[in-house]
Amino acid sequence: MMSEPENDKGRAAMRWVLAVFYAAAGVAHLWVPEKLLAITPSWVPFPSQVIFITGVCEILGAAALVTRPLRRWAGIALAVYAICVWPANFKHAIDGIDLPYIASSCLYHGPRLAFQPVLIWWALYSSGVIDWPWRRSPAP
């Protein structure tokens, strides 16, 4: 793990984009939870409460990601979160569930499922937890 230099504008931009993404997703969880119930796997206990809690976690994670003291923990938490919600993405694809403004098609689901590992990496990289694949060489 390398500490993030103060002037790493690319990483900062990535962090803000991810924070906006998670904040919007969190608002969607709170605004239209019934739409997300359709893609929640049946084995998830208390699905309505889980959707509410995940919405709150997304909003808090987005805020923490852009807060220096909490950034590292937010990156780890959002990466773990992205792993935990991946089953809902598979259910969405396998069951062919249409959501508002999102038609169920392989043109949507294929990239979405393939992008999940990128989202996990993005949370870890933008928060400074990892430097892969752009490792910095140590100062002389």
Side-chain angles (χ1 to χ4, degrees):
M1 184 208 68
M2 307 263 319
S3 64
E4 178 183 1
E6 293 294 322
N7 62 353
D8 193 342
K9 293 181 182 178
R11 202 180 292 228
M14 290 175 68
R15 193 168 42 249
W16 278 96
V17 168
L18 190 63
V20 168
F21 168 80
Y22 271 111
V27 169
H29 277 77
L30 301 178
W31 192 280
V32 288
E34 66 281 355
K35 304 296 183 191
L36 297 165
L37 278 172
I39 66 170
T40 303
S42 60
W43 50 263
V44 172
F46 310 107
S48 296
Q49 292 82 357
V50 168
I51 289 171
F52 176 80
I53 291 167
T54 57
V56 171
C57 287
E58 286 173 320
I59 293 168
L60 293 175
L65 190 61
V66 295
T67 306
R68 186 175 310 278
L70 302 174
R71 181 174 301 151
R72 179 176 165 73
W73 290 110
I76 293 168
L78 290 173
V80 170
Y81 174 82
I83 293 167
C84 291
V85 300
W86 211 350
N89 297 348
F90 279 103
K91 177 177 174 39
H92 189 189
I94 292 167
D95 291 353
I97 300 166
D98 288 329
L99 292 178
Y101 311 109
I102 301 173
S104 182
S105 77
C106 62
L107 296 175
Y108 168 75
H109 294 297
R112 181 179 184 191
L113 291 171
F115 190 71
Q116 202 74 4
V118 175
L119 197 59
I120 295 161
W121 168 83
W122 193 335
L124 296 172
Y125 180 79
S126 69
S127 64
V129 173
I130 62 171
D131 282 326
W132 179 85
W134 300 289
R135 298 190 200 294
R136 297 181 183 103
S137 50

